[in-house]
Amino acid sequence: MRFSALFAPTTKEIPKDALLKSHRYMLQGGYLQQMGSGLYHFLPLGHKVLSKIRALIKEVMDSYGAQECTLGFVVPASLWQESGRFEQYGKELLSFLDRKNNPCVLSPTHEEAITQIIKAHVKSYKQLPLNLYQTHTKFRDEIRPRFGLMRAREFVMKDAYSFHASTECLDREFERMHAAYSEIFTKLGLDFRAVEADSGAIGGSKSKEFVVLAECGEDSVIVCQNCAYAANIEIAKRAKRVEPDNVPKAHFAKFHTPNTPTIEKLSAFFKVPPYFLMKAVIKKARLHEGARPVVFFLRGDDQLEETKALNAFNRSTQQNALELEEMSAKEIAQLGLPVGYIGAYGIKHLVPDIEVIFDIDLQEADCLICGANEVDQHFVGVDLSSFANLNYQDIAQTRPEDACPECQGALSAQRSIEVGHIFKLGNKYSKSMEATYLDKEGQTQYFEMGCYGIGVTRLMSAILEQNSDEKGCVWSKASAPFEVVVVVANPKDSALEALGAQIYEELKGAGIDVLLDDRPDRFGAKMADFELIGCSHALIIGKQALEGQVELITRQGLSKRIIAREAIVSTLLEARS
Ligand code: ATP
Ligand code: MG
């Protein structure tokens, strides 16, 4: 490709709303054009990088025996009604009526569509297992589209779905896809981790996320410094906390505690560590119809983890709440509860409908102080072990200062970008959509299912976040738009221009993905574009080239070296490995 013919509208102007370097450089480098909120066009450079990543993913998925297909993007809403997700998925699901008034959805994910295909064609265990995948457009009407391709509304996902006649077979495929994903992200040159994760709206029994560690990430992962434990903070467990000194030993009694509605004030009042104070967090669980109040009790220096709390509520009540909403002080007061002094004693009498959940770290806890459900009053000497049948669940957010649940080792928290997610779905979709096959004994069985997603366009952002410098895009070898750009320092010098063109042809002939910067621009401007666009190397054809010496600059680190004219092809081929 000759740069003079390439449509890559680069600009020095820094886009206003691009907070992340990946977003900024892809706009400035002429990779993308924004069309609307969370909506992007992929220009030739963006398309090229996307195609390289797609091809790499395809190579690995095919090698694991998965078969590529392309599912329809617009799906009849009836399929989503069948699985029960039409109401459950929430506002991210964009639906509309076609001209015949049939409701349709723009697919945010494809479990329903694939289950319908398998239901129609797979009748016997002999046709199993199967793993089908596609790399295709998804639409999610995200509440806060931002950071360019990182959180878009229209984006490209690689989604694979597997079908099995036994849970053992599903378990095996889950591990194989784990291996496939590790291979893909390694080949893409990413520093990544596989972490335990919540299954969210997709559902199922077990899931793992593949995350790229980066400061700008929207997620947090907890990683053990000592063993392999790693989990998204949304579900990360921890060892039982160690009791601090200064235990407030007291007989059970009500205590006048004027003006102590916060943990800070209460801790100062009693001169007791917040560990021994039991705080109440009140939320509203949003149900299909209406909402239900729920109170979570935690140690004073712990924070409620919303995902754990939602899962705990659904587990405890066998309900399917979509989210936990904040309750205003006014709403809490309307329940008859005194904000800042809420405690466990008698709360069910005050609010019979309320669900009460205690954090697991409070199990058997004594010497606690908690609200007395009266303004300016607390109970001291509270011993939870004297109560039977309290509902203990893991609802507190794991903190870096907590200990590893597996080995008691030290933990750390790191920001991360989710680039992939693999799920064991079991028979969630096959049951709701009545998708069955006949087993060896001729019995009707529901399919066991797994699903495996990769955010293909988000990967472009993640690669740039992990590699780029202050000058522009730095891609990994496998993702860079060109392996090398041949830059003729002075195109007015016809001997140099002819040599540049000759080297360009030679490189093309050797199967190297090369760009020839033949534009009549200043050398400095061409180098700035090399740094902004981020081809893996630049080969500078300057005066010395006529004497057989060229300069090779590697984009990663911008290191320079002089190589002999004859060694150009071999050096660039070696640089691939
Ligand atoms: P997130 O928690 O970031 O919203 P998710 O858990 O809802 O993502 P999945 O349903 O697991 O996403 O989808 C599979 C993959 O698709 C994710 O791992 C992610 O890489 C990618 N993805 C999801 N939402 C978006 C989005 N809005 N923009 C770009 N990529 C996305
Ligand atoms: Mg996910």
Side-chain angles (χ1 to χ4, degrees):
M1 182 87 216
R2 286 175 178 261
F3 211 141
S4 55
L6 175 68
F7 180 60
T10 60
T11 172
K12 283 193 186 131
E13 212 171 297
I14 299 176
K16 275 194 295 304
D17 59 345
L19 303 174
L20 298 190
K21 54 185 180 181
S22 55
H23 186 193
R24 176 184 149 188
Y25 294 151
M26 278 195 273
L27 290 173
Q28 282 189 285
Y31 283 85
L32 298 178
Q33 162 110 20
Q34 183 158 11
M35 176 171 41
S37 169
L39 303 174
Y40 292 88
H41 297 297
F42 284 69
L43 305 184
L45 283 179
H47 180 79
K48 193 150 190 254
V49 171
L50 181 59
S51 304
K52 284 197 169 183
I53 299 175
R54 283 179 74 133
L56 187 151
I57 293 174
K58 175 176 169 54
E59 190 186 306
V60 177
M61 290 302 290
D62 289 355
S63 78
Y64 277 80
Q67 298 174 58
E68 190 169 27
C69 48
T70 301
L71 307 181
F73 176 45
V74 174
V75 170
S78 55
L79 270 186
W80 280 69
Q81 278 152 351
E82 232 180 273
S83 74
R85 279 209 295 185
F86 191 65
E87 284 77 28
Q88 202 207 343
Y89 205 86
K91 290 197 170 148
E92 278 179 30
L93 183 67
L94 187 65
S95 58
F96 58 94
L97 295 177
D98 67 12
R99 67 198 292 164
K100 295 190 176 128
N101 273 336
N102 295 315
C104 301
V105 308
L106 291 187
S107 286
T109 174
H110 268 97
E111 284 76 14
E112 286 77 2
I114 196 88
T115 305
Q116 189 200 34
I117 295 174
I118 298 301
K119 177 178 172 175
H121 299 289
V122 179
K123 304 291 177 197
S124 158
Y125 73 95
K126 289 181 192 153
Q127 295 164 274
L128 296 171
L130 261 182
N131 188 335
L132 300 180
Y133 79 97
Q134 62 171 345
T135 303
H136 198 23
T137 303
K138 295 279 183 280
F139 191 91
R140 294 184 181 180
D141 205 353
E142 297 277 354
I143 185 166
R144 224 168 283 111
R146 55 184 180 160
F147 304 150
L149 300 184
M150 195 82 89
R151 186 164 295 285
R153 293 198 296 161
E154 185 178 312
F155 59 98
V156 176
M157 194 198 287
K158 188 288 297 172
D159 44 332
Y161 305 89
S162 69
F163 292 82
H164 309 268
S166 70
T167 52
E168 293 74 26
C169 188
L170 167 61
D171 291 349
R172 275 197 300 278
E173 190 65 5
F174 186 83
E175 290 312 322
R176 290 178 78 248
M177 286 294 107
H178 194 297
Y181 275 37
S182 301
E183 196 175 319
I184 289 167
F185 297 129
T186 303
K187 284 188 167 159
L188 283 173
L190 287 164
D191 180 12
F192 68 94
R193 302 272 186 289
V195 305
E196 304 287 335
D198 180 54
S199 296
I202 307 270
S205 62
K206 179 184 167 89
S207 83
K208 271 199 157 177
E209 278 171 1
F210 286 78
V211 302
V212 166
L213 303 178
E215 264 314 303
C216 69
E218 292 181 283
D219 292 349
S220 280
V221 290
I222 293 285
V223 181
C224 178
Q225 315 277 33
N226 187 49
C227 77
Y229 185 76
N232 189 309
I233 199 159
E234 291 175 348
I235 62 143
K237 298 188 179 75
R238 57 181 182 173
K240 189 138 181 89
R241 292 184 57 183
V242 178
E243 188 175 88
D245 299 336
N246 212 357
V247 183
K249 291 219 161 74
H251 290 295
F252 180 73
K254 199 194 271 183
F255 216 90
H256 182 54
T257 53
N259 193 24
T260 56
T262 63
I263 291 296
E264 211 179 357
K265 286 188 172 165
L266 191 64
S267 172
F269 180 89
F270 281 117
K271 297 188 180 55
V272 156
Y275 175 91
F276 296 105
L277 310 178
M278 196 164 81
K279 80 173 169 199
V281 181
I282 312 254
K283 299 269 179 184
K284 251 186 313 195
R286 173 64 47 205
L287 302 169
H288 289 303
E289 275 159 31
R292 217 185 126 187
V294 45
V295 58
F296 300 97
F297 288 109
L298 308 137
R299 293 196 183 276
D301 51 355
D302 276 330
Q303 299 298 327
L304 185 73
E305 171 50 58
E306 292 270 337
T307 303
K308 283 185 181 181
L310 178 64
N311 290 341
F313 174 85
N314 284 337
R315 246 191 330 265
S316 310
T317 59
Q318 300 292 313
Q319 278 175 312
N320 212 352
L322 303 179
E323 56 182 337
L324 295 174
E325 292 170 4
E326 297 299 318
M327 261 204 168
S328 66
K330 196 171 154 203
E331 282 175 301
I332 296 173
Q334 275 166 356
L335 288 177
L337 296 174
V339 177
Y341 300 91
I342 298 169
Y345 288 93
I347 195 161
K348 273 278 192 193
H349 290 287
L350 290 167
V351 189
D353 185 34
I354 203 164
E355 181 67 21
V356 183
I357 299 177
F358 292 83
D359 182 48
I360 191 90
D361 206 69
L362 288 168
Q363 201 157 15
E364 304 285 303
D366 60 1
C367 304
L368 295 171
I369 297 172
C370 78
N373 290 326
E374 280 176 54
V375 173
D376 290 348
Q377 300 287 340
H378 281 88
F379 287 118
V380 299
V382 174
D383 179 0
L384 290 182
S385 65
S386 58
F387 295 87
N389 303 324
L390 295 185
N391 181 12
Y392 292 105
Q393 305 270 348
D394 180 13
I395 53 170
Q397 188 168 86
T398 295
R399 310 160 309 158
E401 59 265 45
D402 291 327
C404 173
E406 304 275 338
C407 74
Q408 317 279 319
L411 297 175
S412 71
Q414 295 179 42
R415 304 298 295 173
S416 63
I417 302 168
E418 178 192 333
V419 290
H421 201 163
I422 58 176
F423 299 79
K424 284 185 194 174
L425 297 172
N427 50 29
K428 176 179 155 106
Y429 292 90
S430 52
K431 254 192 181 157
S432 60
M433 297 183 69
E434 280 299 324
T436 59
Y437 65 94
L438 293 179
D439 70 10
K440 264 188 190 140
E441 279 75 43
Q443 303 281 330
T444 303
Q445 302 286 357
Y446 293 112
F447 294 102
E448 288 293 326
M449 236 179 115
C451 78
Y452 319 92
I454 291 182
V456 183
T457 42
R458 182 182 284 183
L459 268 176
M460 291 171 64
S461 303
I463 293 168
L464 289 183
E465 285 306 323
Q466 215 164 54
N467 294 291
S468 295
D469 57 21
E470 69 288 350
K471 297 207 159 149
C473 297
V474 181
W475 299 97
S476 55
K477 283 180 194 168
S479 56
F482 291 96
E483 289 179 88
V484 60
V485 54
V486 175
V487 182
V488 179
N490 178 10
K492 284 188 195 133
D493 183 331
S494 57
L496 278 188
E497 199 195 4
L499 182 60
Q502 194 186 17
I503 292 173
Y504 166 66
E505 292 299 336
E506 251 174 64
L507 290 170
K508 261 203 320 191
I512 290 171
D513 193 7
V514 54
L515 178 68
L516 173 65
D517 196 344
D518 57 344
R519 298 173 300 171
D521 301 8
R522 283 184 308 108
F523 179 65
K526 291 181 177 186
M527 291 314 288
D529 272 352
F530 157 61
E531 287 164 356
L532 177 60
I533 288 173
C535 300
S536 297
H537 300 91
L539 192 69
I540 314 300
I541 314 298
K543 280 242 153 55
Q544 285 172 302
L546 297 172
E547 282 123 47
Q549 304 272 297
V550 292
E551 189 178 43
L552 184 70
I553 306 177
T554 300
R555 180 63 189 88
Q556 180 116 42
L558 290 174
S559 59
K560 297 178 179 175
R561 60 185 160 144
I562 302 292
I563 54 171
R565 159 105 183 62
E566 309 76 59
I568 295 175
V569 170
S570 60
T571 307
L572 285 168
L573 288 176
E574 265 166 40
R576 281 181 175 174
S577 51

